[in-house]
């Protein structure tokens, strides 16, 4: 993710290195916040707050953990706190439909509906299950990295993922039922 030399330079007080470091991680931080919170404005607020916290706490980072895990813990904890303070809202996003020679308009529209269904299903999960799903499947973290980021035992991470997958199957089963010729909405 980030070169160790850049982290060390930022920790030693090199302002340019710290700014470069924050720029390198800002997209990752925002993406994580968005996946957990499901709302663009809340994600922007949480990402900004996380970057400020990283900026002020860079010297507390120790090489015992991977840098991305340390960053992930900060972002995830801020998002969980924000989620607890406010009720989540489902944002309706405008999807830009890009067409290729291999897809049809119908395929693109169905893909956007499927993505929205999955996003809504993830939003329905309890916060602890949502966090592990986001880290595992959207951020591609290993079980160990998730355990370290969320400060959980690895077996708890596995248990949460198992239960979350079961819940997602149940939630998404409703989406699979034939809807006839009715228009979705």
């Amino acid at each position: 993710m980030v070169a160790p030399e850049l982290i060390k330079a930022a920790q030693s007080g090199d302002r340019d290195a710290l700014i470069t470091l924050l720029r390198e991680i800002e997209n990752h931080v925002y993406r994580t916040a968005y996946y957990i919170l499901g709302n663009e404005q809340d994600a922007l607020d949480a990402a900004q707050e996380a970057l400020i916290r990283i900026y002020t706490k860079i010297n507390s980072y120790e090489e015992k953990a991977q840098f991305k895990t340390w960053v992930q813990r900060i972002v995830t904890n801020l998002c969980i706190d924000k989620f607890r303070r406010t009720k989540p809202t489902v944002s309706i996003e405008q999807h830009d439909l890009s067409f290729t020679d291999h897809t049809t308009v119908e395929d693109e529209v169905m893909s956007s509906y499927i993505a929205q269904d999955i996003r809504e299903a993830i939003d329905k999960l309890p916060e602890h299950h949502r966090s592990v799903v986001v880290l595992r499947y959207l951020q591609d973290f290993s079980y160990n990295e998730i355990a370290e980021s969320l400060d959980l035992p690895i077996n708890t991470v596995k248990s949460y993922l198992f239960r979350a997958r079961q819940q997602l199957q149940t939630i998404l089963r409703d989406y699979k039922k034939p809807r006839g010729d009715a228009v979705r909405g």
Side-chain angles (χ1 to χ4, degrees):
M1 179 179 185
V2 176
E5 301 80 33
L6 184 60
I7 298 167
K8 287 191 186 307
Q11 287 180 313
S12 70
D14 183 339
R15 184 169 155 74
D16 292 335
L18 183 55
I19 290 169
T20 301
L21 175 73
L22 292 173
R23 284 192 179 131
E24 282 191 25
I25 64 172
E26 70 183 336
N27 286 335
H28 172 75
V29 168
Y30 169 77
R31 239 184 0 259
T32 299
Y34 182 78
Y35 288 141
I36 293 174
L37 298 171
N39 175 292
E40 183 177 359
Q41 192 57 50
D42 289 345
L44 287 169
D45 291 346
Q48 183 177 17
E49 194 175 334
L51 289 170
I52 290 169
R53 187 157 303 164
I54 292 163
Y55 177 85
T56 59
K57 303 282 187 189
I58 190 69
N59 287 327
S60 70
Y61 168 69
E62 298 173 1
E63 291 184 28
K64 294 178 200 169
Q66 291 183 26
F67 184 72
K68 81 173 189 175
T69 304
W70 182 76
V71 167
Q72 193 65 47
R73 177 179 278 178
I74 291 171
V75 176
T76 303
N77 287 340
L78 282 169
C79 289
I80 289 171
D81 289 345
K82 188 171 203 46
F83 185 78
R84 285 179 181 150
R85 286 191 304 264
T86 60
K87 284 198 153 211
T89 58
V90 176
S91 69
I92 310 262
E93 298 173 27
Q94 298 259 333
H95 294 283
D96 293 330
L97 300 179
S98 58
F99 303 105
T100 64
D101 295 338
H102 306 293
T103 60
T104 65
V105 173
E106 292 84 7
D107 291 339
E108 290 295 328
V109 169
M110 287 310 296
S111 288
S112 70
Y113 278 134
I114 290 168
Q116 184 178 344
D117 290 347
I118 292 170
R119 175 75 238 160
E120 289 174 6
I122 291 172
D123 285 345
K124 291 178 183 177
L125 294 174
E127 66 185 62
H128 55 283
H129 289 170
R130 182 179 321 111
S131 297
V132 294
V133 166
V134 166
L135 294 177
R136 180 71 180 135
Y137 298 111
L138 302 176
Q139 296 294 342
D140 202 31
F141 271 45
S142 70
Y143 292 131
N144 288 332
E145 290 170 332
I146 296 168
E148 199 172 315
S149 291
L150 299 177
D151 198 23
L152 294 170
I154 195 158
N155 286 335
T156 302
V157 169
K158 290 177 181 179
S159 173
Y160 284 179
L161 278 170
F162 177 78
R163 289 188 189 123
R165 282 191 298 265
Q166 285 181 321
Q167 290 171 323
L168 285 172
Q169 283 178 338
T170 301
I171 294 167
L172 291 170
R173 193 172 302 135
D174 293 335
Y175 293 110
K176 289 181 182 179
K177 290 180 183 171
R179 298 174 188 242
D181 292 331
V183 176
R184 289 185 56 132

